[in-house]
Amino acid sequence: MLKIRRFFTVTSVVLAGLISAMNSRAVDFGPATAYPVGTNPIGSVVGDFNGDGKPDIAVLNAGSNNVSILLNNGDGTFQPARNFEVGNSKNSIFIGDFNGDGKLDLALFLSGNPAVAGNGEVRILLGNGDGTFQAPIVTTLTAGATYIAPGDFNGDKKADLILVNMDPATSAITLNFLAAKGDGTFRAAQPIQAPGFDGMAFAVADFNRDGKLDLAFSMGGSVQILLGQGNGTFQLGVTASVENGFSLDRIQTPDLNGDGKTDLFVDSHTVVNVPCPINPFNHGPCQATIHHQERFLGQGDGTFASGVVDNSLGSVVVFADFNGDGKLDAFVAASGISLGRGDGTFASTVFSSSTLVTAAIDLNNDKLADLVRLDSANNNVVVQLNSSPSSGADLALPQASASPEPVGLGQQLGYSADVVNEGPQGATGVTFSDTLPNGVNFVSATASKGICVQSNLVITCNVGALASGTDWVISIVVVPTALGTITNSMDVTANETDPVPANNPATQSSTVVPVYALTVTKTGNGSGTVRNAGLPPGRIINCGATCSAQLLSGRTINLIATADTGDFFISWGGACSGTGRTCLLTMDGDKTVSADFAQGVALNVALSGAGSGTVVSSDGTINCGAASGTCSETVAPGTQVSFRAMPSANSIFGSWSGACTGSDPNNCSVTANSAESVTATFNIPPDFSLDPGTSSLTVKSGGQVSEALTFPVQGGFSGPIALTCVVSGAAALPTCTISPNPVPSGSSATLTINTAGLSTALAPPSPGQLGNLYEASLSLGGFGLLLAAGLDKKRCGSWLLCLAILVATLEPAACGSGGGPITPMVQTYSVTVTATAGQIQHSTTIHVSVN
C-alpha cells in the first residue's frame, strides 16, 4: 500500500516531532502533566467540544478501539478522560461539523487493504455540544482508500470529505469529493481532476482568500493548486516547482510572514550517490538522502512568489507562536524551536527536543503555544504549558561552539556564536564579549552585524539593536600555542531587562593535542594513488596530488592504494606492511608509508590451425574464440595463470606453442614475469568422404553399368579403405562389385552393376490396346479367320499362342487406330556403398533403373 505523508490543519495543528529536557530560556515549558486515556493512543486532535471557548483534546486509541475526550478547565488542565466506543481499529482522527449544527464532530478513518479485499471506511461521531458523542455512523469506502481530509467544500456549512484513493489494479492515485448529507453520511464519491497527483503530499487551505477551500497536492517535483469553486468542484490553478531533482514529502500551509495570506512550506528529498566510507573495498556508489525545504510566499490570489530554499530548519513539524511576539516560530523534528523573524525566515534553535509531540496550541489563553504529546507506552496524553516570560528581552547564545575538537597544536581553532533575542521585546545596546583562553594567538573576529575589536585576548562586538526573534552570528579564529585543555568564555548583554540571564554566557572547552606528520611515497615502475578512506573533509591524503598531512595525535587513518589502469599495487612499506590494499594507522608519532606499484604484464592468446575452438583462463579474464572474445589481459608480475583449450565441433586440439608446449588441452600454466604469448592449435580431424559422382544409373536388362567412386581426404587421413556394396529391391536382384577393394586413400574405385540373367516382362495390354486389337481383327474379316484356320495345333501349341502371333501380326493396324505400343516394365533398385577405415565409416546410396 502506498504510504501518503502529509499534514492537515482544521482547528488544531497536527505534527510529529521531538522534545527533550527543559532548558532555562525565554522559550520554556512547565512540567509535563500526564492524563490517562485508552490503550495504545495513536492520534489526537484539539477542538472546543463543549462550546465553552476552551480547546479540548480528543485521543484515538487503537488498542481499546475508543476515543478519549479530555475537557479543558480553562487553565490548561483537563478533566479525566471520558471514553466513547468506535468499533474496529482506525488509522487517524479528524474534526469537523458534519451535520451543520454548529457542534464539532469527530471523523475516524480506516484505510483500505487491497491485499485482503478490505474496504476502507469513515466513522462519524456526531457531537452533542457538551463534550459527549453519539454512536458511530459508518460510511464504507473503497479498498484503495488511502487518506481523507474534511472541510466544507460546497458552502453548505457541513463538513465534506476529500478522499485519496489508489486503484488496486492499476495503482493510479485519484482525488474524490464526498458531499456530506447532513446526517453523518456522505453521497457517492465524485472524481476530482487532479492530473499528475502522486499521492505523496496533500493539503487543504484557502489560497485566494475567497472563503472557499482550495487543494494543494504533490505532482512529482511540484505543488499543484486546485482552486475550490464553492460547489465541490475545483479549477486547475498554478504550479509551484521545487528545486530540480527533489521529490515532495510534505506540504504545509502556514502564514509565514504574517501578511494574512496563506503560504506554502514544502519538505522534499532526493537520493544521491556518495563514496562508501565503511568498507574501503566497496567503491559504491553508496546512497544518501538529502532533505530539502522551500517556502513559497502566497500573493493572496492563489499564486505564489518563487520558491526560496531554506534548509536551516530541517524537517519542519509545526508552526506556532511560542514566545508571544506575534510571529510564527517553527518546531523542528529532532532539533527544537526556531524563532520566526516575521518574514518567513527563522533564527537559531533555542529549545532542544526529544519526545513525540502531536499538537502545539494555546491551551490556557496566554497567547503562547503549549504542547500536547502522546505517551503510547503508558497510555497517556501529556500536556506541557508554555512558561515563557511575557516581557523583557531574553538574549541567548544557543549555538556557541568550538571546532575542531580536539585541535592540533599550531592549527587554527574556530569559535562561533549565534546571538539570539528570544524576546518577547526588542533589545538595544546589545554587546557581545569573548574572553579568549591563555595559550592562543588571536587571528580574526568577524560579525554579521556591528564591529568587533580585540585587546589582550578580549574580543568586544557592539551589535546595537536586535529585534525579537532575530539573531547575529560571530566567528572567531585563534591558533593554540600550548598543549592541554583550554576554555573560552562568551557573554552577551543589552540595555533591557533579561528575564532569563542564565542563557547569556556560554563556554567552550577544547583539547589541544600534538600534531604528527604522515608522509606517503610511491615506489616501483607502476603508477597509482594512495588516499585515506572516507568522505571529505576527511580526505586529507590523495597521493597523487597530496602525499603528506599533519594529523592529530591519536587519530586513526585508513589508507587505501589504487593502481592506475594497467598497473598493480604490490605491497606496503614503512609504517604499513602487507599486500592488502588498505592500511590502518594510528598517529602516535610521525609516520612514513610507501606504496609499491608495478607495471602490468601482458598475456596474449592466439589461435592457429585449420580447426576452431576457444581458450579460457583460470582467472576468467581471457575467453578467446575464433570469431570474437578477449584474447589478452594484463596481470601483476609473478601472477600464475592457467589456460584450457576447448575445440569446437568437428575440430580437435592439436598442441600448445609459445609459453606453453604439449598436446594436453588442460595443461598450460604461465607465470607472468614478463610479457608472454600462448598459441593454441586446433586441427580438423583425419577423415575422408565418399563421392560416387552420381546418385542414379540406368541399364538395360541383361547388361551392366559402372560408376567411379572417389574418396577425398582431410586432416591428413591416410590408409586403406574397405568397400562393400549391397543391392536391395524386388526379387531377382542385380549384382554389384567394387574394384579395387580395399582402395588406398586418395585413389578411386569402380562400382559395377550387372543385370545378366534378369528378364523384363511385358507390361499387360491396356484396355485401349485391347480395343484396337479387336477393331483390327474385325477389319480383316474372313482373312483373319482363314489365317486362324490354317494354323494347326503343331504350329500353335494353344489358342493363346496363336492369338499372340495374331496380335503381333496385327500390331501395325492397331497402331493406326489410336492405341500405343505396349511398354516394357522398368524395375528400380538401390545400391548402398559403404566405405570403412578403422572407426571412420561413410555410406552412400545409388538408385539403378533396369528396363
Side-chain angles (χ1 to χ4, degrees), residues 607-623:
L607 308 180
S608 69
S612 62
T614 302
V615 175
V616 297
S617 61
S618 55
D619 60 7
T621 301
I622 287 181
N623 190 336

mmCIF file with all atom_site columns, all heavy atoms in Angstrom, residues 607-623:
data_model
loop_
_atom_site.group_PDB
_atom_site.id
_atom_site.type_symbol
_atom_site.label_atom_id
_atom_site.label_alt_id
_atom_site.label_comp_id
_atom_site.label_asym_id
_atom_site.label_entity_id
_atom_site.label_seq_id
_atom_site.pdbx_PDB_ins_code
_atom_site.Cartn_x
_atom_site.Cartn_y
_atom_site.Cartn_z
_atom_site.occupancy
_atom_site.B_iso_or_equiv
_atom_site.pdbx_formal_charge
_atom_site.auth_seq_id
_atom_site.auth_comp_id
_atom_site.auth_asym_id
_atom_site.auth_atom_id
_atom_site.pdbx_PDB_model_num
ATOM 1   N N   . LEU A 1 607 ? 45.128 -18.183 -31.682 1.00 0.00 ? 607 LEU A N   1
ATOM 2   C CA  . LEU A 1 607 ? 44.601 -19.447 -32.178 1.00 0.00 ? 607 LEU A CA  1
ATOM 3   C C   . LEU A 1 607 ? 45.182 -19.715 -33.556 1.00 0.00 ? 607 LEU A C   1
ATOM 4   O O   . LEU A 1 607 ? 45.333 -18.791 -34.370 1.00 0.00 ? 607 LEU A O   1
ATOM 5   C CB  . LEU A 1 607 ? 43.077 -19.421 -32.257 1.00 0.00 ? 607 LEU A CB  1
ATOM 6   C CG  . LEU A 1 607 ? 42.320 -18.998 -30.987 1.00 0.00 ? 607 LEU A CG  1
ATOM 7   C CD1 . LEU A 1 607 ? 40.823 -19.034 -31.234 1.00 0.00 ? 607 LEU A CD1 1
ATOM 8   C CD2 . LEU A 1 607 ? 42.679 -19.884 -29.815 1.00 0.00 ? 607 LEU A CD2 1
ATOM 9   N N   . SER A 1 608 ? 45.516 -20.972 -33.834 1.00 0.00 ? 608 SER A N   1
ATOM 10  C CA  . SER A 1 608 ? 46.015 -21.339 -35.157 1.00 0.00 ? 608 SER A CA  1
ATOM 11  C C   . SER A 1 608 ? 45.455 -22.682 -35.555 1.00 0.00 ? 608 SER A C   1
ATOM 12  O O   . SER A 1 608 ? 44.781 -23.363 -34.761 1.00 0.00 ? 608 SER A O   1
ATOM 13  C CB  . SER A 1 608 ? 47.554 -21.375 -35.153 1.00 0.00 ? 608 SER A CB  1
ATOM 14  O OG  . SER A 1 608 ? 48.018 -22.457 -34.360 1.00 0.00 ? 608 SER A OG  1
ATOM 15  N N   . GLY A 1 609 ? 45.770 -23.097 -36.801 1.00 0.00 ? 609 GLY A N   1
ATOM 16  C CA  . GLY A 1 609 ? 45.310 -24.373 -37.314 1.00 0.00 ? 609 GLY A CA  1
ATOM 17  C C   . GLY A 1 609 ? 44.048 -24.242 -38.135 1.00 0.00 ? 609 GLY A C   1
ATOM 18  O O   . GLY A 1 609 ? 43.377 -23.197 -38.156 1.00 0.00 ? 609 GLY A O   1
ATOM 19  N N   . ALA A 1 610 ? 43.723 -25.324 -38.856 1.00 0.00 ? 610 ALA A N   1
ATOM 20  C CA  . ALA A 1 610 ? 42.543 -25.331 -39.725 1.00 0.00 ? 610 ALA A CA  1
ATOM 21  C C   . ALA A 1 610 ? 41.255 -25.527 -38.946 1.00 0.00 ? 610 ALA A C   1
ATOM 22  O O   . ALA A 1 610 ? 40.165 -25.283 -39.470 1.00 0.00 ? 610 ALA A O   1
ATOM 23  C CB  . ALA A 1 610 ? 42.675 -26.422 -40.788 1.00 0.00 ? 610 ALA A CB  1
ATOM 24  N N   . GLY A 1 611 ? 41.369 -25.978 -37.692 1.00 0.00 ? 611 GLY A N   1
ATOM 25  C CA  . GLY A 1 611 ? 40.179 -26.161 -36.877 1.00 0.00 ? 611 GLY A CA  1
ATOM 26  C C   . GLY A 1 611 ? 39.819 -24.904 -36.119 1.00 0.00 ? 611 GLY A C   1
ATOM 27  O O   . GLY A 1 611 ? 40.360 -23.823 -36.348 1.00 0.00 ? 611 GLY A O   1
ATOM 28  N N   . SER A 1 612 ? 38.888 -25.018 -35.178 1.00 0.00 ? 612 SER A N   1
ATOM 29  C CA  . SER A 1 612 ? 38.452 -23.879 -34.384 1.00 0.00 ? 612 SER A CA  1
ATOM 30  C C   . SER A 1 612 ? 38.201 -24.319 -32.954 1.00 0.00 ? 612 SER A C   1
ATOM 31  O O   . SER A 1 612 ? 38.009 -25.502 -32.669 1.00 0.00 ? 612 SER A O   1
ATOM 32  C CB  . SER A 1 612 ? 37.180 -23.248 -34.962 1.00 0.00 ? 612 SER A CB  1
ATOM 33  O OG  . SER A 1 612 ? 36.111 -24.172 -34.937 1.00 0.00 ? 612 SER A OG  1
ATOM 34  N N   . GLY A 1 613 ? 38.201 -23.332 -32.034 1.00 0.00 ? 613 GLY A N   1
ATOM 35  C CA  . GLY A 1 613 ? 37.960 -23.626 -30.637 1.00 0.00 ? 613 GLY A CA  1
ATOM 36  C C   . GLY A 1 613 ? 38.068 -22.378 -29.797 1.00 0.00 ? 613 GLY A C   1
ATOM 37  O O   . GLY A 1 613 ? 38.120 -21.261 -30.315 1.00 0.00 ? 613 GLY A O   1
ATOM 38  N N   . THR A 1 614 ? 38.130 -22.560 -28.465 1.00 0.00 ? 614 THR A N   1
ATOM 39  C CA  . THR A 1 614 ? 38.165 -21.456 -27.515 1.00 0.00 ? 614 THR A CA  1
ATOM 40  C C   . THR A 1 614 ? 39.197 -21.754 -26.449 1.00 0.00 ? 614 THR A C   1
ATOM 41  O O   . THR A 1 614 ? 39.349 -22.907 -26.023 1.00 0.00 ? 614 THR A O   1
ATOM 42  C CB  . THR A 1 614 ? 36.789 -21.268 -26.858 1.00 0.00 ? 614 THR A CB  1
ATOM 43  O OG1 . THR A 1 614 ? 35.807 -21.041 -27.872 1.00 0.00 ? 614 THR A OG1 1
ATOM 44  C CG2 . THR A 1 614 ? 36.790 -20.085 -25.908 1.00 0.00 ? 614 THR A CG2 1
ATOM 45  N N   . VAL A 1 615 ? 39.899 -20.693 -26.009 1.00 0.00 ? 615 VAL A N   1
ATOM 46  C CA  . VAL A 1 615 ? 40.847 -20.806 -24.907 1.00 0.00 ? 615 VAL A CA  1
ATOM 47  C C   . VAL A 1 615 ? 40.367 -19.893 -23.787 1.00 0.00 ? 615 VAL A C   1
ATOM 48  O O   . VAL A 1 615 ? 40.088 -18.705 -24.014 1.00 0.00 ? 615 VAL A O   1
ATOM 49  C CB  . VAL A 1 615 ? 42.270 -20.412 -25.345 1.00 0.00 ? 615 VAL A CB  1
ATOM 50  C CG1 . VAL A 1 615 ? 43.219 -20.427 -24.146 1.00 0.00 ? 615 VAL A CG1 1
ATOM 51  C CG2 . VAL A 1 615 ? 42.774 -21.360 -26.419 1.00 0.00 ? 615 VAL A CG2 1
ATOM 52  N N   . VAL A 1 616 ? 40.236 -20.436 -22.560 1.00 0.00 ? 616 VAL A N   1
ATOM 53  C CA  . VAL A 1 616 ? 39.808 -19.650 -21.408 1.00 0.00 ? 616 VAL A CA  1
ATOM 54  C C   . VAL A 1 616 ? 40.896 -19.708 -20.349 1.00 0.00 ? 616 VAL A C   1
ATOM 55  O O   . VAL A 1 616 ? 41.642 -20.688 -20.241 1.00 0.00 ? 616 VAL A O   1
ATOM 56  C CB  . VAL A 1 616 ? 38.467 -20.154 -20.832 1.00 0.00 ? 616 VAL A CB  1
ATOM 57  C CG1 . VAL A 1 616 ? 37.355 -20.003 -21.845 1.00 0.00 ? 616 VAL A CG1 1
ATOM 58  C CG2 . VAL A 1 616 ? 38.585 -21.607 -20.385 1.00 0.00 ? 616 VAL A CG2 1
ATOM 59  N N   . SER A 1 617 ? 40.969 -18.612 -19.527 1.00 0.00 ? 617 SER A N   1
ATOM 60  C CA  . SER A 1 617 ? 41.972 -18.542 -18.471 1.00 0.00 ? 617 SER A CA  1
ATOM 61  C C   . SER A 1 617 ? 41.353 -18.890 -17.131 1.00 0.00 ? 617 SER A C   1
ATOM 62  O O   . SER A 1 617 ? 40.141 -18.762 -16.921 1.00 0.00 ? 617 SER A O   1
ATOM 63  C CB  . SER A 1 617 ? 42.586 -17.144 -18.418 1.00 0.00 ? 617 SER A CB  1
ATOM 64  O OG  . SER A 1 617 ? 41.592 -16.181 -18.142 1.00 0.00 ? 617 SER A OG  1
ATOM 65  N N   . SER A 1 618 ? 42.189 -19.295 -16.199 1.00 0.00 ? 618 SER A N   1
ATOM 66  C CA  . SER A 1 618 ? 41.705 -19.697 -14.878 1.00 0.00 ? 618 SER A CA  1
ATOM 67  C C   . SER A 1 618 ? 41.138 -18.526 -14.094 1.00 0.00 ? 618 SER A C   1
ATOM 68  O O   . SER A 1 618 ? 40.295 -18.721 -13.219 1.00 0.00 ? 618 SER A O   1
ATOM 69  C CB  . SER A 1 618 ? 42.847 -20.340 -14.083 1.00 0.00 ? 618 SER A CB  1
ATOM 70  O OG  . SER A 1 618 ? 43.964 -19.446 -14.020 1.00 0.00 ? 618 SER A OG  1
ATOM 71  N N   . ASP A 1 619 ? 41.559 -17.280 -14.394 1.00 0.00 ? 619 ASP A N   1
ATOM 72  C CA  . ASP A 1 619 ? 41.011 -16.128 -13.689 1.00 0.00 ? 619 ASP A CA  1
ATOM 73  C C   . ASP A 1 619 ? 39.758 -15.579 -14.364 1.00 0.00 ? 619 ASP A C   1
ATOM 74  O O   . ASP A 1 619 ? 39.188 -14.577 -13.925 1.00 0.00 ? 619 ASP A O   1
ATOM 75  C CB  . ASP A 1 619 ? 42.057 -15.024 -13.554 1.00 0.00 ? 619 ASP A CB  1
ATOM 76  C CG  . ASP A 1 619 ? 42.570 -14.531 -14.909 1.00 0.00 ? 619 ASP A CG  1
ATOM 77  O OD1 . ASP A 1 619 ? 42.029 -14.939 -15.942 1.00 0.00 ? 619 ASP A OD1 1
ATOM 78  O OD2 . ASP A 1 619 ? 43.528 -13.732 -14.912 1.00 0.00 ? 619 ASP A OD2 1
ATOM 79  N N   . GLY A 1 620 ? 39.337 -16.210 -15.463 1.00 0.00 ? 620 GLY A N   1
ATOM 80  C CA  . GLY A 1 620 ? 38.094 -15.823 -16.126 1.00 0.00 ? 620 GLY A CA  1
ATOM 81  C C   . GLY A 1 620 ? 38.205 -14.597 -17.001 1.00 0.00 ? 620 GLY A C   1
ATOM 82  O O   . GLY A 1 620 ? 37.208 -14.189 -17.610 1.00 0.00 ? 620 GLY A O   1
ATOM 83  N N   . THR A 1 621 ? 39.389 -14.005 -17.124 1.00 0.00 ? 621 THR A N   1
ATOM 84  C CA  . THR A 1 621 ? 39.513 -12.780 -17.914 1.00 0.00 ? 621 THR A CA  1
ATOM 85  C C   . THR A 1 621 ? 39.590 -13.069 -19.402 1.00 0.00 ? 621 THR A C   1
ATOM 86  O O   . THR A 1 621 ? 38.964 -12.390 -20.211 1.00 0.00 ? 621 THR A O   1
ATOM 87  C CB  . THR A 1 621 ? 40.766 -11.997 -17.459 1.00 0.00 ? 621 THR A CB  1
ATOM 88  O OG1 . THR A 1 621 ? 40.646 -11.700 -16.076 1.00 0.00 ? 621 THR A OG1 1
ATOM 89  C CG2 . THR A 1 621 ? 40.905 -10.704 -18.247 1.00 0.00 ? 621 THR A CG2 1
ATOM 90  N N   . ILE A 1 622 ? 40.379 -14.075 -19.765 1.00 0.00 ? 622 ILE A N   1
ATOM 91  C CA  . ILE A 1 622 ? 40.531 -14.419 -21.189 1.00 0.00 ? 622 ILE A CA  1
ATOM 92  C C   . ILE A 1 622 ? 39.491 -15.453 -21.572 1.00 0.00 ? 622 ILE A C   1
ATOM 93  O O   . ILE A 1 622 ? 39.306 -16.466 -20.888 1.00 0.00 ? 622 ILE A O   1
ATOM 94  C CB  . ILE A 1 622 ? 41.949 -14.920 -21.477 1.00 0.00 ? 622 ILE A CB  1
ATOM 95  C CG1 . ILE A 1 622 ? 42.921 -13.745 -21.428 1.00 0.00 ? 622 ILE A CG1 1
ATOM 96  C CG2 . ILE A 1 622 ? 42.032 -15.625 -22.828 1.00 0.00 ? 622 ILE A CG2 1
ATOM 97  C CD1 . ILE A 1 622 ? 44.358 -14.103 -21.716 1.00 0.00 ? 622 ILE A CD1 1
ATOM 98  N N   . ASN A 1 623 ? 38.811 -15.187 -22.657 1.00 0.00 ? 623 ASN A N   1
ATOM 99  C CA  . ASN A 1 623 ? 37.872 -16.133 -23.265 1.00 0.00 ? 623 ASN A CA  1
ATOM 100 C C   . ASN A 1 623 ? 37.985 -15.905 -24.772 1.00 0.00 ? 623 ASN A C   1
ATOM 101 O O   . ASN A 1 623 ? 37.217 -15.175 -25.369 1.00 0.00 ? 623 ASN A O   1
ATOM 102 C CB  . ASN A 1 623 ? 36.459 -15.901 -22.772 1.00 0.00 ? 623 ASN A CB  1
ATOM 103 C CG  . ASN A 1 623 ? 35.508 -17.012 -23.181 1.00 0.00 ? 623 ASN A CG  1
ATOM 104 O OD1 . ASN A 1 623 ? 35.746 -17.718 -24.153 1.00 0.00 ? 623 ASN A OD1 1
ATOM 105 N ND2 . ASN A 1 623 ? 34.416 -17.165 -22.437 1.00 0.00 ? 623 ASN A ND2 1
#
